[in-house]
Amino acid sequence: MVKKLDKIPNDSETGVLTIERLRQTPGFPDEKDLENGLIAVIECDEDIPCNPCESICPNAAIKVGNPITNLPVLNFSKCSGCLKCLGICPGLCIFAINKNYNNDKSLIYIPYEYYPLPKKDMIVRALDRKGNYVCDAVVLKVLKPLKKQNSGLVGIIIPKEYFNIVRNFEF
Amino acid sequence: MGLAIGGMQLNNELVIIGAGPAGLSAAKEAAKFGVKVLVLDENDRPGGQLFTQTHKFFGSKEHSAGIRGFQIGNRLLEDIKKSDVEISLNTTVYGIFPDKTVMFSVLNEKIQNLQAKNILIATGGLEKPIMFKGWTLPGIMGAGAAQTMMNVFRVLPGKRALMIGTGNVGLIVSYQLKQAGCEVIGVLDVMPKISGYKVHASKIRRAAIPILVSHTIKEAKGNQSVESAVITKVDNSCREIDSNEFEVECDLICIAAGLQPFNELCWALKMEMEYIGVLGGFVPVHNDNMQTSIKDIFVAGDLAGVEEASTAMEEGKLAGIASAKNLGYLSEKEFNNKKSEIIERLNQLRLGSFGIEREKAKKILLNSCNF
Ligand SMILES: Cc1cc2nc3c(=O)[nH]c(=O)nc-3n(C[C@H](O)[C@H](O)[C@H](O)COP(=O)(O)OP(=O)(O)OC[C@H]3O[C@@H](n4cnc5c(N)ncnc54)[C@H](O)[C@@H]3O)c2cc1C
């Protein structure tokens, strides 16, 4: 009897967006867009009728427009890193990254909808888009879900080389 | 809002069967224009499927996007409370006659009748089963049933779950099982492609839940209840590939093979029906005012074609104003203005590669309508 289904030969990319695909979407920043502080990183590549990210952005940095199935276009220079879109996105597909948090670390905010929430300074296991362990991370900030910002958000510090790899964590 | 059980008024203008998002939206809208509305639901609380849904909805601000299903349900109930709509719970409707007599019973006691001027049937959808060896073992259930156990009754349906079906229901319920503390060992689909939204799939892959396309369940094994599942690989025509079979331990198997319109009341009424696969099966034929082949009887929501709560609410509103016009509470002009706003919002929800198929199917239904 097998214990885990992920050991079965399978197209492991199923349901996982690749970096190559993400680079073709208008909400995913290039490396150079990520040089100047915290900004949103949108991993949305399907024509779903959905635009709360556009409505909630206080800086008009996200445009979906008409029709409502357009992919969100992020104007990286207008994004202030306020995190509002992360909290409202029904697809939980928006993250925020400060690539140059310090010399060798990046900061990534991840929408997190499990209880208990982690605590500040806790060491957690950072995971990639397939749920595989990448590295250890330190929790910097925990934002509880609020009425307006409807998911919990957790900021974790990771080695810089993993800023485009880490997208989840567990503890 | 009155919770009428014993003292139910037996002569009503609009009687609505089903207090889900479609029925409640219709009630709220019709009551706004003065229609006396009575809603009957067999459940012990109103809201239909909205209260099982702990995830955020897609759409735009007008569709309450970014808000969780149960929160949308709470808002709807608040509005209904402020209105004159009456709701009778624990009330099962067994039959409707073309003269608009509604036959029902409260808490399964004596059968009673009431007379309505207009009727809206908004009974929602029913989960489709799939059959395999051992499928009647305890621990095998619809994904919707598992969702109701967790999110409404706070009971964890199992500790190690296998999900069958990668539609949005399968993907969302897998995520919610994991949130509730259940290990989800995998999500299977007999088709070579995930059928739900990629964002839902990505969310569960990030959470280390494997998705196996071109795989299906062959057998469930167990003594008193399910203990394991036999899984097999299939080719692109869904045919089993020999020698590609394995067994995996689990105590819960959830089936998310789609929903079908809950149409028994319509069949019994001899309504005109049409089979439309994209909409889940046999759907009552209706015109663009949600009116069926039987005069003064309307349908809305999953019964009128399985879609989403957001479309169900808009269709409910449409049926609500159509009934208000029918009963003389709304002028033709007012009605047309309201209707075009609703149609605009419905069209938005039926855009994109997922929505377009439903939009086309609804058009076919409208075209086959000769009343
Ligand atoms: C897991 C899951 C996730 C979903 N996620 C989303 C989502 O993210 N966004 C979205 O928009 N939609 C979503 N949906 C779809 C949405 O829940 C349905 O489309 C919507 O609830 C349909 O509304 P309705 O009013 O037609 O039916 P329902 O909500 O099913 O309500 C029907 C009501 O009728 C009552 N009833 C039935 N028969 C009788 C009878 N004979 N007598 C008395 N009462 C009766 C039932 O008790 C029930 O309360 C999801 C569905 C599922 C299962």
Side-chain angles (χ1 to χ4, degrees):
Chain A
M1 185 136 34
V2 287
K3 282 274 175 212
K4 279 201 90 75
L5 289 183
D6 55 0
K7 297 286 176 284
I8 305 300
N10 181 34
D11 168 15
S12 64
E13 301 299 343
T14 304
V16 178
L17 288 174
T18 59
I19 284 284
E20 295 71 43
R21 174 67 199 128
L22 285 167
R23 291 224 163 93
Q24 296 162 8
T25 63
F28 194 76
D30 286 336
E31 303 239 343
K32 65 170 180 355
D33 301 313
L34 282 163
E35 294 303 331
N36 309 312
L38 186 69
I39 57 165
V41 173
I42 306 183
E43 304 203 349
C44 176
D45 90 325
E46 211 164 41
D47 54 348
I48 300 172
C50 191
N51 69 4
C53 54
E54 178 181 35
S55 321
I56 206 163
C57 180
N59 306 313
I62 304 179
K63 183 152 177 61
V64 174
N66 205 342
I68 185 181
T69 45
N70 289 337
L71 294 185
V73 181
L74 179 56
N75 183 332
F76 304 104
S77 59
K78 278 191 183 171
C79 177
S80 66
C82 74
L83 306 176
K84 289 205 161 86
C85 54
L86 276 73
I88 200 159
C89 173
L92 302 192
C93 70
I94 312 183
F95 306 84
I97 296 178
N98 181 358
K99 186 179 153 206
N100 303 321
Y101 177 72
N102 62 28
N103 275 345
D104 51 359
K105 299 274 196 261
S106 297
L107 162 64
I108 175 165
Y109 277 93
I110 294 173
Y112 189 79
E113 295 189 328
Y114 300 90
Y115 281 120
L117 287 162
K119 295 210 158 56
K120 186 174 157 45
D121 298 328
M122 208 180 219
I123 307 236
V124 296
R125 293 158 45 81
L127 311 175
D128 66 10
R129 292 182 183 82
K130 297 176 201 165
N132 293 325
Y133 171 79
V134 179
C135 58
D136 282 354
V138 181
V139 175
L140 178 74
K141 208 161 184 182
V142 180
L143 300 165
K144 289 190 188 131
L146 302 170
K147 214 167 182 186
K148 278 256 148 92
Q149 162 241 305
N150 217 340
S151 297
L153 303 178
V154 178
I156 58 173
I157 308 283
I158 52 171
K160 217 177 226 180
E161 65 216 87
Y162 299 129
F163 76 91
N164 250 343
I165 294 172
V166 168
R167 287 299 179 271
N168 199 6
F169 66 87
E170 62 183 16
F171 64 94
Chain B
M1 179 176 72
L3 284 184
I5 291 191
M8 202 185 314
Q9 253 206 37
L10 293 188
N11 208 336
N12 297 276
E13 290 186 314
L14 172 61
V15 171
I16 299 178
I17 299 141
L24 291 180
S25 303
K28 177 182 154 191
E29 207 62 21
K32 230 197 264 174
F33 301 103
V35 179
K36 282 167 216 58
V37 185
L38 170 65
V39 187
L40 311 177
D41 198 297
E42 63 186 351
N43 250 315
D44 59 6
R45 64 181 296 189
Q49 284 195 50
L50 282 176
F51 285 98
T52 65
Q53 288 162 20
T54 53
H55 57 281
K56 295 184 272 190
F57 279 29
F58 294 95
S60 70
K61 214 177 196 164
E62 291 72 39
H63 309 115
S64 307
I67 300 175
R68 296 177 196 279
F70 73 93
Q71 295 170 319
I72 297 179
N74 281 334
R75 280 189 187 175
L76 209 48
L77 289 185
E78 281 302 309
D79 290 344
I80 294 278
K81 255 186 211 152
K82 288 184 215 132
S83 75
D84 292 327
V85 172
E86 271 191 82
I87 301 186
S88 177
L89 299 169
N90 300 303
T91 304
T92 307
V93 173
Y94 294 103
I96 302 169
F97 296 94
D99 70 351
K100 278 152 282 157
T101 306
V102 177
M103 214 174 71
F104 64 94
S105 84
V106 179
L107 289 167
N108 291 323
E109 287 175 6
K110 77 174 198 297
I111 300 271
Q112 307 178 57
N113 291 332
L114 64 80
Q115 182 65 45
K117 289 199 172 100
N118 281 190
I119 293 175
L120 167 64
I121 314 178
T123 46
L126 198 61
E127 296 194 274
K128 291 182 188 169
I130 54 170
M131 281 157 257
F132 44 88
K133 196 169 167 198
W135 74 297
T136 54
L137 278 172
I140 304 177
M141 62 184 81
Q147 199 187 28
T148 306
M149 281 177 73
M150 292 188 285
N151 298 348
V152 179
F153 298 105
R154 311 279 157 170
V155 175
L156 200 60
K159 293 205 174 77
R160 266 174 75 84
L162 175 67
M163 179 67 65
I164 320 289
T166 62
N168 282 334
V169 171
L171 299 175
I172 291 174
V173 176
S174 297
Y175 179 64
Q176 293 176 353
L177 279 164
K178 168 122 188 175
Q179 283 179 307
C182 172
E183 184 190 356
V184 182
I185 57 170
V187 187
L188 311 184
D189 205 302
V190 71
M191 302 304 282
K193 224 179 111 221
I194 293 172
S195 64
Y197 291 165
K198 271 193 230 164
V199 281
H200 285 321
S202 304
K203 187 168 73 182
I204 68 173
R205 287 299 317 265
R206 277 205 296 282
I209 299 174
I211 299 178
L212 270 74
V213 293
S214 296
H215 278 82
T216 192
I217 182 164
K218 201 174 165 190
E219 183 180 349
K221 291 185 180 170
N223 285 321
Q224 302 293 316
S225 62
V226 58
E227 289 164 21
S228 70
V230 180
I231 293 170
T232 178
K233 195 167 182 190
V234 299
D235 64 17
N236 281 356
S237 341
C238 301
R239 267 188 306 259
E240 227 178 274
I241 299 172
D242 286 339
S243 77
N244 257 302
E245 198 177 286
F246 51 92
E247 193 174 337
V248 59
E249 238 176 81
C250 57
D251 64 357
L252 172 66
I253 299 176
C254 292
I255 297 170
L259 278 92
Q260 61 196 55
F262 197 4
N263 53 19
E264 290 166 333
L265 290 171
C266 302
W267 280 120
L269 257 168
K270 297 204 164 60
M271 235 171 222
E272 245 177 68
M273 305 287 278
E274 179 89 30
Y275 185 90
I276 300 191
V278 178
L279 298 178
F282 278 100
V283 184
V285 177
H286 55 268
N287 68 13
D288 62 349
N289 295 338
M290 307 312 294
Q291 154 95 48
T292 67
S293 62
I294 299 174
K295 196 169 167 295
D296 305 331
I297 302 190
F298 300 82
V299 286
D302 278 355
L303 168 68
V306 173
E307 293 188 81
E308 296 186 315
S310 29
T311 44
M313 288 187 271
E314 298 300 341
E315 285 194 344
K317 285 178 201 161
L318 185 52
I321 59 166
S323 170
K325 187 193 88 173
N326 205 359
L327 293 161
Y329 287 97
L330 206 58
S331 73
E332 185 84 33
K333 189 164 167 246
E334 283 171 299
F335 170 73
N336 284 331
N337 284 342
K338 295 254 166 236
K339 178 175 164 181
S340 57
E341 286 167 22
I342 295 171
I343 300 276
E344 172 57 30
R345 289 196 298 269
L346 268 173
N347 286 343
Q348 280 212 336
L349 291 170
R350 291 180 182 143
L351 288 172
S353 39
F354 290 87
I356 195 82
E357 294 304 317
R358 292 186 275 116
E359 167 74 18
K360 277 193 222 151
K362 277 280 183 182
K363 282 251 163 66
I364 294 173
L365 202 59
L366 277 183
N367 290 339
S368 72
C369 171
N370 53 11
F371 44 84

